[in-house]
Amino acid sequence: MFRDTVSALCHTVVEERCLAGIGSAAPEANSVVQFVLAQHARMPDFLRAPVVVLTLMFDLQCILKHGAPFRRLDCDQRIQHVRDWRLSRLGFRRDFVRLYESLAVLGWHSMKERCQ
Amino acid sequence: MAFDEGALSVSGHKGRHAVDSGFRTEVLVIGSGPGGAITAAYLAEAGRSVLLVEEGPNLALESCEPFSLDEMVQKYRNGGLTPALGRAKVAYVEGRCVGGGSEINSGLYHRTPAEVLARWGSEFQLQAASSAEMEAHFQAGERDVSVSYLPGPAPAASLKLHEGAVKLGWKSMEVPRWFRHEVAADGTAAPRGVRQSMTKTFVPRALAAGARLLASTRVLRLRRDGGGWLATGERADGVRVEIRAEHVFVCGGAVQTPALLRRSGITENIGNSLQLHPTVKIAAGFGEEVNSREMGVPVHQVKQFSPRLSFGCSISSAPFLALGLIDHPSRVEAAAHWRRMAIYYAMITPEGRGTVRTLPGFRDPLVRYRLTDTDLRNLADGVRKLGEALLAAEATILFPAFGGAPVIRRQDELQRLPNVLPAARSNLMTIHLFSSCPMGENRRVCAADSFGRVFGQPNLYIADGSLLCTAPGVNPQGSIMAFARRNVLKFLGKS
Amino acid sequence: MDLNTITPTVLVTGAAGWLGLSLVQALVRGLADHPDLATPFAGRVRCLVLPGQDTAALRKIGGAVEIVEGDVRNSGDCTRFCSGASGGILLHVAGIIHPKSVKEFYSINLEGTKNLLAAAQEARLKRVVVMSSNSPIGCNPHRDHLFDEESPYNPYMGYGRSKMLMELAVKEAQKAGQLETVIIRAPWFYGPNQPARQALFFQMIRDGKGPIVGDGLNPRSMAYTDNLAQGILLAALVPKANGEIYWIADERPYTMCEIMDTIERLLETEFGQNCAHKRMRLPGIAAAVAWVVDKSLQSLGLYHQKIHVLSEMNKTIACSVAKAKRELGFRPTVSLEEGMRRSLSWMEENGQKL
């Protein structure tokens, strides 16, 4: 569930922040997902579990609003949910989105640069 | 000679509980960054038996593109995901490889400013460290790592900032680097050369003089052992390691050194006064191309408001530019124009202090850092002044990199920037950390004496950025190198 | 370059099956869709069929087709099938997807493949192209996700697990170094030579009983048999494919709704069928229940085709063919509408009743 949510989140970030509707994130985004999961495994050990918990919260919170967890939503709904958290008054939500956005954006553009 | 993992005989059983206890050395140096590498080289060259232990892998400087994702994965601690927690989080990075931070930084060199040394003398009662007394150490370091100016033109993005500052009548300068330049063939291409990191200089020097290097080995604890020390740790493959040494130099950097000492029960003034240089960034767009894949390292710094504020140009590769625009989600398309963009930073010398603590049951230390209101005001002021210089250099658009920041196109729009950087949305980062174990004779605040000898712990020394009494306001590696040399010569009785 | 220049013999397992027939046809008659495959293969085509299987269609294809009766579960049959074919290329497309019991997944898909690999090695075959499936990789984590060749194993039930173990056995054989191997992963395929169960699917759509589970917008990759044959033959042909895995499917995935709408449209406008213009809509929970029942049955070693198919109806199973396009020169020229048109025409021509 954690991995699936990270995958959905990375695809959303790539779609919104890197492609902006000019293409489909898949399947190039798959390597971004792998990078982000690998970075999660590298982060300081005391932060890993909280990030997993927060990711699952992020996923399941969608059930209240959209009737399905984040990873089951279509891309537009997912982009909306990411925006909600990005603009949240709660700092941990903004930090959460920023963490994944930073990693996915950096991963995506590094991959693109390597390809060229 | 360098040892590969497992090159030494392993006593006990192979497997999870295998213990390699065959190490004995006169001097154990823990950490191979600028502090450790220089210490090890001078000790070995003086004929001492030296074992240099490094937690990270032994990789060549050329093992990856500088400032790339590969470098982050190979050579940064925790893949670069290391935050100092507090009301304003500061993302910091540490090198974790043979050569430490010197393998991943830009190589910009500054001496410790005279007024900073003077303040360390008065506040921390740091002895024998006036500018005059440090002169020989600075000179030696500059020679050893070939500190030099660019032989050709600086990168366009770097010159832009310089140009803007000069127009405003501000002091701006090219900063020399530890770099061996090759003369550019035709004078137009960026001059090539090799950064004189520790794996290019002091690590091979230490090895040539007979020091042994044990990479991918993490020292977890130090324990008194007769008159000397017993260090226990583990190799990356899980084999436990025991090292007996008469003298131990701890050179793990401003976070790992206090973490190791605290884990070993040595806590007096250890890890209580961490300092760093928080920086806030601006991505700037210009009417012409200022960036290229071969841009190289920007070298100009604006020192008009130093030590309170310093400005410079950052690594501005396309991936980092995209990252720099992350606080402007509606500007996705801007990243496509990366050739006309570059990233600049405003750095402050803060009042804030932090702590390094170990958490029971966890491997990584907890780093906390608290910025003061003055710091947040200075950061906001830094953004505004940096923006001013960039607009003076005919930047057409500025994207300050903090949450909720306005996009700026004209001088009058700079007033829309806040007077105090919003702590929770500040998105600060730093690559300069120090002062977690200050040196000096002031026993109230110092962890080690004026030459890095840990108080109350015979034959235990610190030799890295943790010793710097306060934030120097300039890139710290020059200071770390000079003090490492000074202190190891004192140890050898040569000063 | 074409197959004639690199091998005297091509061996095909499952040759009398749905995909096998299309493959042998493509081989013997050439595949106009791709310049490297347009020339008919003039060498021997040795086909493995089950004892007693109807081989009329296979014989009708013509060319130098030899038929060998045998079962991949029997290692002696495999040895006999491969013997004397040194330097040949084996296209292993035999497999079981809807068995009577779960045990058959393993005896046919896993043990059968191992038998063939051993026989191929012994007979000094040049290369083996093995047909795998999407099932070892499972379902996509979200709807806009596409599997690529790096996606991790996450096998879907007994079939997926048997195919995963089969892939691992192929990788083992590759490591031994005496045999070139290529793994092809294909999703749901469609096209001429289809078995009767496929006609039922078309009838259900015509009669307004085409099952849509959930919103029906879940994407599914499908592979038209000639596209798939093209991928398999390219995998046999291209030197650098050795040791690789490729997803082979139509250019893009289709949603379940799109699939049924396309079939309905063709039935009505081109094949003179009156359609009910309805779907059997089932809530997502139906698939969830079917999944639980399927899983429980399979854990008891039992297999029920309809329940299994229902459990998959609302899942996203979509892959990217980018690697095959890049490395094999794969060009999936036929897409859903044209592929379904050809399928329906074939049914008409071959007397399958709608």
mmCIF file of all heavy atoms in Angstrom, chain C residues 286-325:
data_model
loop_
_atom_site.group_PDB
_atom_site.id
_atom_site.type_symbol
_atom_site.label_atom_id
_atom_site.label_comp_id
_atom_site.label_asym_id
_atom_site.label_seq_id
_atom_site.Cartn_x
_atom_site.Cartn_y
_atom_site.Cartn_z
ATOM 1 N N ALA C 286 -18.270 -6.642 -6.416
ATOM 2 C CA ALA C 286 -18.434 -7.948 -7.055
ATOM 3 C C ALA C 286 -17.077 -8.555 -7.397
ATOM 4 O O ALA C 286 -16.844 -9.748 -7.179
ATOM 5 C CB ALA C 286 -19.285 -7.813 -8.321
ATOM 6 N N ALA C 287 -16.202 -7.691 -7.925
ATOM 7 C CA ALA C 287 -14.862 -8.170 -8.254
ATOM 8 C C ALA C 287 -14.106 -8.542 -6.986
ATOM 9 O O ALA C 287 -13.344 -9.506 -6.956
ATOM 10 C CB ALA C 287 -14.100 -7.115 -9.041
ATOM 11 N N ALA C 288 -14.351 -7.752 -5.939
ATOM 12 C CA ALA C 288 -13.663 -8.033 -4.680
ATOM 13 C C ALA C 288 -14.101 -9.380 -4.128
ATOM 14 O O ALA C 288 -13.283 -10.180 -3.672
ATOM 15 C CB ALA C 288 -13.943 -6.915 -3.670
ATOM 16 N N VAL C 289 -15.424 -9.643 -4.214
ATOM 17 C CA VAL C 289 -15.940 -10.928 -3.738
ATOM 18 C C VAL C 289 -15.362 -12.056 -4.596
ATOM 19 O O VAL C 289 -14.879 -13.063 -4.083
ATOM 20 C CB VAL C 289 -17.492 -10.941 -3.780
ATOM 21 C CG1 VAL C 289 -18.018 -12.350 -3.515
ATOM 22 C CG2 VAL C 289 -18.048 -9.956 -2.760
ATOM 23 N N ALA C 290 -15.392 -11.833 -5.924
ATOM 24 C CA ALA C 290 -14.858 -12.855 -6.833
ATOM 25 C C ALA C 290 -13.389 -13.125 -6.528
ATOM 26 O O ALA C 290 -12.923 -14.261 -6.565
ATOM 27 C CB ALA C 290 -15.021 -12.406 -8.281
ATOM 28 N N TRP C 291 -12.683 -12.048 -6.187
ATOM 29 C CA TRP C 291 -11.266 -12.191 -5.884
ATOM 30 C C TRP C 291 -11.063 -13.104 -4.679
ATOM 31 O O TRP C 291 -10.233 -13.999 -4.683
ATOM 32 C CB TRP C 291 -10.675 -10.794 -5.599
ATOM 33 C CG TRP C 291 -9.199 -10.807 -5.413
ATOM 34 C CD1 TRP C 291 -8.248 -10.772 -6.390
ATOM 35 C CD2 TRP C 291 -8.482 -10.844 -4.165
ATOM 36 N NE1 TRP C 291 -6.992 -10.792 -5.834
ATOM 37 C CE2 TRP C 291 -7.113 -10.834 -4.475
ATOM 38 C CE3 TRP C 291 -8.882 -10.895 -2.826
ATOM 39 C CZ2 TRP C 291 -6.130 -10.858 -3.491
ATOM 40 C CZ3 TRP C 291 -7.900 -10.922 -1.833
ATOM 41 C CH2 TRP C 291 -6.539 -10.904 -2.179
ATOM 42 N N VAL C 292 -11.882 -12.855 -3.638
ATOM 43 C CA VAL C 292 -11.772 -13.664 -2.426
ATOM 44 C C VAL C 292 -12.120 -15.127 -2.720
ATOM 45 O O VAL C 292 -11.404 -16.045 -2.311
ATOM 46 C CB VAL C 292 -12.691 -13.103 -1.311
ATOM 47 C CG1 VAL C 292 -12.730 -14.051 -0.114
ATOM 48 C CG2 VAL C 292 -12.218 -11.723 -0.889
ATOM 49 N N VAL C 293 -13.205 -15.313 -3.490
ATOM 50 C CA VAL C 293 -13.629 -16.674 -3.802
ATOM 51 C C VAL C 293 -12.554 -17.380 -4.647
ATOM 52 O O VAL C 293 -12.159 -18.511 -4.373
ATOM 53 C CB VAL C 293 -14.986 -16.668 -4.556
ATOM 54 C CG1 VAL C 293 -15.362 -18.083 -5.013
ATOM 55 C CG2 VAL C 293 -16.081 -16.096 -3.653
ATOM 56 N N ASP C 294 -12.054 -16.664 -5.655
ATOM 57 C CA ASP C 294 -11.022 -17.216 -6.542
ATOM 58 C C ASP C 294 -9.797 -17.618 -5.742
ATOM 59 O O ASP C 294 -9.255 -18.715 -5.884
ATOM 60 C CB ASP C 294 -10.675 -16.154 -7.600
ATOM 61 C CG ASP C 294 -9.769 -16.710 -8.691
ATOM 62 O OD1 ASP C 294 -9.723 -17.945 -8.856
ATOM 63 O OD2 ASP C 294 -9.114 -15.901 -9.387
ATOM 64 N N LYS C 295 -9.386 -16.703 -4.882
ATOM 65 C CA LYS C 295 -8.191 -16.942 -4.077
ATOM 66 C C LYS C 295 -8.398 -18.166 -3.183
ATOM 67 O O LYS C 295 -7.516 -19.012 -3.050
ATOM 68 C CB LYS C 295 -7.903 -15.688 -3.234
ATOM 69 C CG LYS C 295 -6.609 -15.726 -2.480
ATOM 70 C CD LYS C 295 -5.742 -14.517 -2.819
ATOM 71 C CE LYS C 295 -4.435 -14.609 -2.048
ATOM 72 N NZ LYS C 295 -3.260 -14.481 -2.853
ATOM 73 N N SER C 296 -9.581 -18.249 -2.556
ATOM 74 C CA SER C 296 -9.861 -19.377 -1.666
ATOM 75 C C SER C 296 -9.891 -20.677 -2.460
ATOM 76 O O SER C 296 -9.318 -21.683 -2.036
ATOM 77 C CB SER C 296 -11.219 -19.195 -0.979
ATOM 78 O OG SER C 296 -11.344 -17.890 -0.504
ATOM 79 N N LEU C 297 -10.554 -20.640 -3.610
ATOM 80 C CA LEU C 297 -10.612 -21.847 -4.433
ATOM 81 C C LEU C 297 -9.206 -22.283 -4.832
ATOM 82 O O LEU C 297 -8.847 -23.453 -4.720
ATOM 83 C CB LEU C 297 -11.440 -21.585 -5.695
ATOM 84 C CG LEU C 297 -12.970 -21.568 -5.533
ATOM 85 C CD1 LEU C 297 -13.642 -21.194 -6.847
ATOM 86 C CD2 LEU C 297 -13.481 -22.919 -5.046
ATOM 87 N N GLN C 298 -8.427 -21.291 -5.276
ATOM 88 C CA GLN C 298 -7.074 -21.639 -5.749
ATOM 89 C C GLN C 298 -6.220 -22.192 -4.618
ATOM 90 O O GLN C 298 -5.367 -23.036 -4.836
ATOM 91 C CB GLN C 298 -6.405 -20.427 -6.410
ATOM 92 C CG GLN C 298 -7.066 -20.072 -7.737
ATOM 93 C CD GLN C 298 -6.118 -19.375 -8.702
ATOM 94 O OE1 GLN C 298 -4.905 -19.442 -8.569
ATOM 95 N NE2 GLN C 298 -6.686 -18.714 -9.699
ATOM 96 N N SER C 299 -6.456 -21.680 -3.394
ATOM 97 C CA SER C 299 -5.661 -22.198 -2.273
ATOM 98 C C SER C 299 -6.053 -23.654 -1.993
ATOM 99 O O SER C 299 -5.299 -24.402 -1.406
ATOM 100 C CB SER C 299 -5.845 -21.330 -1.041
ATOM 101 O OG SER C 299 -7.146 -21.516 -0.532
ATOM 102 N N LEU C 300 -7.270 -24.039 -2.423
ATOM 103 C CA LEU C 300 -7.682 -25.438 -2.292
ATOM 104 C C LEU C 300 -7.279 -26.245 -3.520
ATOM 105 O O LEU C 300 -7.619 -27.407 -3.652
ATOM 106 C CB LEU C 300 -9.200 -25.531 -2.110
ATOM 107 C CG LEU C 300 -9.767 -24.861 -0.854
ATOM 108 C CD1 LEU C 300 -11.290 -24.848 -0.903
ATOM 109 C CD2 LEU C 300 -9.280 -25.572 0.395
ATOM 110 N N GLY C 301 -6.592 -25.566 -4.447
ATOM 111 C CA GLY C 301 -6.145 -26.275 -5.644
ATOM 112 C C GLY C 301 -7.213 -26.306 -6.727
ATOM 113 O O GLY C 301 -7.095 -27.010 -7.708
ATOM 114 N N LEU C 302 -8.305 -25.520 -6.553
ATOM 115 C CA LEU C 302 -9.390 -25.531 -7.534
ATOM 116 C C LEU C 302 -9.357 -24.261 -8.366
ATOM 117 O O LEU C 302 -8.843 -23.220 -7.941
ATOM 118 C CB LEU C 302 -10.747 -25.630 -6.815
ATOM 119 C CG LEU C 302 -10.883 -26.848 -5.896
ATOM 120 C CD1 LEU C 302 -12.161 -26.744 -5.082
ATOM 121 C CD2 LEU C 302 -10.861 -28.141 -6.703
ATOM 122 N N TYR C 303 -9.913 -24.338 -9.551
ATOM 123 C CA TYR C 303 -9.892 -23.188 -10.437
ATOM 124 C C TYR C 303 -11.232 -23.065 -11.130
ATOM 125 O O TYR C 303 -11.750 -24.029 -11.685
ATOM 126 C CB TYR C 303 -8.773 -23.339 -11.470
ATOM 127 C CG TYR C 303 -8.688 -22.160 -12.407
ATOM 128 C CD1 TYR C 303 -7.936 -21.041 -12.070
ATOM 129 C CD2 TYR C 303 -9.384 -22.155 -13.610
ATOM 130 C CE1 TYR C 303 -7.877 -19.950 -12.907
ATOM 131 C CE2 TYR C 303 -9.332 -21.065 -14.453
ATOM 132 C CZ TYR C 303 -8.577 -19.964 -14.103
ATOM 133 O OH TYR C 303 -8.529 -18.878 -14.940
ATOM 134 N N HIS C 304 -11.816 -21.870 -11.099
ATOM 135 C CA HIS C 304 -13.082 -21.624 -11.771
ATOM 136 C C HIS C 304 -12.901 -20.436 -12.706
ATOM 137 O O HIS C 304 -12.676 -19.316 -12.278
ATOM 138 C CB HIS C 304 -14.187 -21.351 -10.748
ATOM 139 C CG HIS C 304 -15.552 -21.320 -11.370
ATOM 140 N ND1 HIS C 304 -15.991 -20.255 -12.117
ATOM 141 C CD2 HIS C 304 -16.556 -22.238 -11.372
ATOM 142 C CE1 HIS C 304 -17.227 -20.508 -12.542
ATOM 143 N NE2 HIS C 304 -17.592 -21.713 -12.110
ATOM 144 N N GLN C 305 -13.018 -20.702 -14.004
ATOM 145 C CA GLN C 305 -12.662 -19.696 -15.005
ATOM 146 C C GLN C 305 -13.450 -18.408 -14.869
ATOM 147 O O GLN C 305 -12.899 -17.310 -14.849
ATOM 148 C CB GLN C 305 -12.877 -20.286 -16.403
ATOM 149 C CG GLN C 305 -12.416 -19.335 -17.493
ATOM 150 C CD GLN C 305 -12.644 -19.921 -18.876
ATOM 151 O OE1 GLN C 305 -12.639 -21.125 -19.038
ATOM 152 N NE2 GLN C 305 -12.847 -19.071 -19.849
ATOM 153 N N LYS C 306 -14.816 -18.524 -14.742
ATOM 154 C CA LYS C 306 -15.633 -17.308 -14.748
ATOM 155 C C LYS C 306 -15.367 -16.443 -13.530
ATOM 156 O O LYS C 306 -15.305 -15.210 -13.623
ATOM 157 C CB LYS C 306 -17.112 -17.676 -14.849
ATOM 158 C CG LYS C 306 -17.480 -18.049 -16.273
ATOM 159 C CD LYS C 306 -18.956 -18.290 -16.446
ATOM 160 C CE LYS C 306 -19.222 -18.671 -17.895
ATOM 161 N NZ LYS C 306 -20.400 -19.522 -18.050
ATOM 162 N N ILE C 307 -15.190 -17.104 -12.413
ATOM 163 C CA ILE C 307 -14.907 -16.341 -11.190
ATOM 164 C C ILE C 307 -13.554 -15.647 -11.308
ATOM 165 O O ILE C 307 -13.390 -14.477 -10.949
ATOM 166 C CB ILE C 307 -14.951 -17.274 -9.947
ATOM 167 C CG1 ILE C 307 -16.405 -17.689 -9.708
ATOM 168 C CG2 ILE C 307 -14.384 -16.572 -8.727
ATOM 169 C CD1 ILE C 307 -16.591 -18.707 -8.623
ATOM 170 N N HIS C 308 -12.606 -16.370 -11.871
ATOM 171 C CA HIS C 308 -11.283 -15.784 -12.031
ATOM 172 C C HIS C 308 -11.347 -14.554 -12.939
ATOM 173 O O HIS C 308 -10.803 -13.494 -12.616
ATOM 174 C CB HIS C 308 -10.300 -16.803 -12.607
ATOM 175 C CG HIS C 308 -8.921 -16.235 -12.829
ATOM 176 N ND1 HIS C 308 -8.028 -16.077 -11.797
ATOM 177 C CD2 HIS C 308 -8.324 -15.750 -13.939
ATOM 178 C CE1 HIS C 308 -6.926 -15.518 -12.282
ATOM 179 N NE2 HIS C 308 -7.083 -15.311 -13.584
ATOM 180 N N VAL C 309 -12.040 -14.678 -14.070
ATOM 181 C CA VAL C 309 -12.127 -13.569 -15.018
ATOM 182 C C VAL C 309 -12.839 -12.375 -14.372
ATOM 183 O O VAL C 309 -12.404 -11.234 -14.489
ATOM 184 C CB VAL C 309 -12.843 -14.012 -16.311
ATOM 185 C CG1 VAL C 309 -13.160 -12.814 -17.198
ATOM 186 C CG2 VAL C 309 -11.951 -14.996 -17.078
ATOM 187 N N LEU C 310 -13.917 -12.677 -13.636
ATOM 188 C CA LEU C 310 -14.647 -11.598 -12.969
ATOM 189 C C LEU C 310 -13.758 -10.856 -11.972
ATOM 190 O O LEU C 310 -13.802 -9.623 -11.871
ATOM 191 C CB LEU C 310 -15.881 -12.186 -12.260
ATOM 192 C CG LEU C 310 -16.776 -11.176 -11.525
ATOM 193 C CD1 LEU C 310 -17.340 -10.154 -12.504
ATOM 194 C CD2 LEU C 310 -17.921 -11.889 -10.794
ATOM 195 N N SER C 311 -12.931 -11.619 -11.258
ATOM 196 C CA SER C 311 -12.085 -10.985 -10.236
ATOM 197 C C SER C 311 -11.120 -9.984 -10.853
ATOM 198 O O SER C 311 -10.656 -9.059 -10.201
ATOM 199 C CB SER C 311 -11.312 -12.049 -9.452
ATOM 200 O OG SER C 311 -10.199 -12.494 -10.204
ATOM 201 N N GLU C 312 -10.828 -10.177 -12.136
ATOM 202 C CA GLU C 312 -9.848 -9.295 -12.795
ATOM 203 C C GLU C 312 -10.484 -8.117 -13.521
ATOM 204 O O GLU C 312 -9.785 -7.219 -13.982
ATOM 205 C CB GLU C 312 -9.055 -10.103 -13.842
ATOM 206 C CG GLU C 312 -7.839 -10.792 -13.294
ATOM 207 C CD GLU C 312 -6.963 -11.329 -14.439
ATOM 208 O OE1 GLU C 312 -7.433 -11.434 -15.583
ATOM 209 O OE2 GLU C 312 -5.803 -11.623 -14.153
ATOM 210 N N MET C 313 -11.834 -8.152 -13.645
ATOM 211 C CA MET C 313 -12.509 -7.202 -14.530
ATOM 212 C C MET C 313 -12.258 -5.724 -14.203
ATOM 213 O O MET C 313 -12.240 -4.885 -15.097
ATOM 214 C CB MET C 313 -14.031 -7.455 -14.526
ATOM 215 C CG MET C 313 -14.484 -8.650 -15.328
ATOM 216 S SD MET C 313 -14.053 -8.590 -17.063
ATOM 217 C CE MET C 313 -15.227 -7.412 -17.675
ATOM 218 N N ASN C 314 -12.120 -5.398 -12.933
ATOM 219 C CA ASN C 314 -11.964 -3.968 -12.603
ATOM 220 C C ASN C 314 -10.512 -3.600 -12.321
ATOM 221 O O ASN C 314 -10.225 -2.529 -11.805
ATOM 222 C CB ASN C 314 -12.852 -3.594 -11.418
ATOM 223 C CG ASN C 314 -12.380 -4.247 -10.134
ATOM 224 O OD1 ASN C 314 -11.643 -5.233 -10.180
ATOM 225 N ND2 ASN C 314 -12.775 -3.695 -9.005
ATOM 226 N N LYS C 315 -9.616 -4.495 -12.638
ATOM 227 C CA LYS C 315 -8.205 -4.212 -12.357
ATOM 228 C C LYS C 315 -7.553 -3.473 -13.536
ATOM 229 O O LYS C 315 -7.951 -3.660 -14.681
ATOM 230 C CB LYS C 315 -7.445 -5.526 -12.123
ATOM 231 C CG LYS C 315 -8.015 -6.382 -11.015
ATOM 232 C CD LYS C 315 -7.619 -5.860 -9.649
ATOM 233 C CE LYS C 315 -8.015 -6.808 -8.530
ATOM 234 N NZ LYS C 315 -9.478 -6.940 -8.352
ATOM 235 N N THR C 316 -6.573 -2.664 -13.208
ATOM 236 C CA THR C 316 -5.762 -2.044 -14.249
ATOM 237 C C THR C 316 -4.580 -2.959 -14.530
ATOM 238 O O THR C 316 -3.837 -3.317 -13.611
ATOM 239 C CB THR C 316 -5.251 -0.672 -13.782
ATOM 240 O OG1 THR C 316 -6.368 0.173 -13.541
ATOM 241 C CG2 THR C 316 -4.341 -0.047 -14.835
ATOM 242 N N ILE C 317 -4.470 -3.379 -15.775
ATOM 243 C CA ILE C 317 -3.323 -4.211 -16.164
ATOM 244 C C ILE C 317 -2.800 -3.596 -17.461
ATOM 245 O O ILE C 317 -3.338 -3.844 -18.536
ATOM 246 C CB ILE C 317 -3.730 -5.682 -16.368
ATOM 247 C CG1 ILE C 317 -4.362 -6.243 -15.075
ATOM 248 C CG2 ILE C 317 -2.519 -6.513 -16.778
ATOM 249 C CD1 ILE C 317 -4.911 -7.653 -15.197
ATOM 250 N N ALA C 318 -1.831 -2.742 -17.343
ATOM 251 C CA ALA C 318 -1.382 -1.972 -18.498
ATOM 252 C C ALA C 318 0.138 -1.918 -18.526
ATOM 253 O O ALA C 318 0.787 -1.808 -17.490
ATOM 254 C CB ALA C 318 -1.953 -0.558 -18.430
ATOM 255 N N CYS C 319 0.681 -2.015 -19.722
ATOM 256 C CA CYS C 319 2.133 -2.027 -19.838
ATOM 257 C C CYS C 319 2.588 -1.071 -20.934
ATOM 258 O O CYS C 319 1.808 -0.643 -21.766
ATOM 259 C CB CYS C 319 2.617 -3.440 -20.154
ATOM 260 S SG CYS C 319 2.003 -4.047 -21.724
ATOM 261 N N SER C 320 3.872 -0.752 -20.898
ATOM 262 C CA SER C 320 4.473 0.086 -21.923
ATOM 263 C C SER C 320 5.291 -0.794 -22.860
ATOM 264 O O SER C 320 6.005 -1.691 -22.408
ATOM 265 C CB SER C 320 5.396 1.103 -21.250
ATOM 266 O OG SER C 320 6.362 1.551 -22.160
ATOM 267 N N VAL C 321 5.177 -0.525 -24.144
ATOM 268 C CA VAL C 321 5.959 -1.317 -25.110
ATOM 269 C C VAL C 321 7.172 -0.516 -25.602
ATOM 270 O O VAL C 321 7.766 -0.842 -26.631
ATOM 271 C CB VAL C 321 5.089 -1.787 -26.304
ATOM 272 C CG1 VAL C 321 4.045 -2.771 -25.824
ATOM 273 C CG2 VAL C 321 4.434 -0.612 -27.011
ATOM 274 N N ALA C 322 7.532 0.503 -24.847
ATOM 275 C CA ALA C 322 8.615 1.391 -25.291
ATOM 276 C C ALA C 322 9.929 0.638 -25.521
ATOM 277 O O ALA C 322 10.637 0.889 -26.494
ATOM 278 C CB ALA C 322 8.810 2.505 -24.267
ATOM 279 N N LYS C 323 10.233 -0.292 -24.617
ATOM 280 C CA LYS C 323 11.525 -0.991 -24.748
ATOM 281 C C LYS C 323 11.539 -1.856 -26.017
ATOM 282 O O LYS C 323 12.535 -1.889 -26.735
ATOM 283 C CB LYS C 323 11.777 -1.861 -23.515
ATOM 284 C CG LYS C 323 13.140 -2.548 -23.528
ATOM 285 C CD LYS C 323 13.324 -3.456 -22.309
ATOM 286 C CE LYS C 323 14.609 -4.251 -22.413
ATOM 287 N NZ LYS C 323 14.646 -5.353 -21.415
ATOM 288 N N ALA C 324 10.423 -2.531 -26.287
ATOM 289 C CA ALA C 324 10.351 -3.364 -27.496
ATOM 290 C C ALA C 324 10.459 -2.500 -28.754
ATOM 291 O O ALA C 324 11.095 -2.877 -29.732
ATOM 292 C CB ALA C 324 9.053 -4.164 -27.500
ATOM 293 N N LYS C 325 9.834 -1.322 -28.715
ATOM 294 C CA LYS C 325 9.919 -0.436 -29.871
ATOM 295 C C LYS C 325 11.359 0.034 -30.087
ATOM 296 O O LYS C 325 11.865 0.080 -31.197
ATOM 297 C CB LYS C 325 8.990 0.765 -29.678
ATOM 298 C CG LYS C 325 7.521 0.398 -29.859
ATOM 299 C CD LYS C 325 6.570 1.451 -29.355
ATOM 300 C CE LYS C 325 6.437 2.611 -30.303
ATOM 301 N NZ LYS C 325 5.426 3.581 -29.798
#
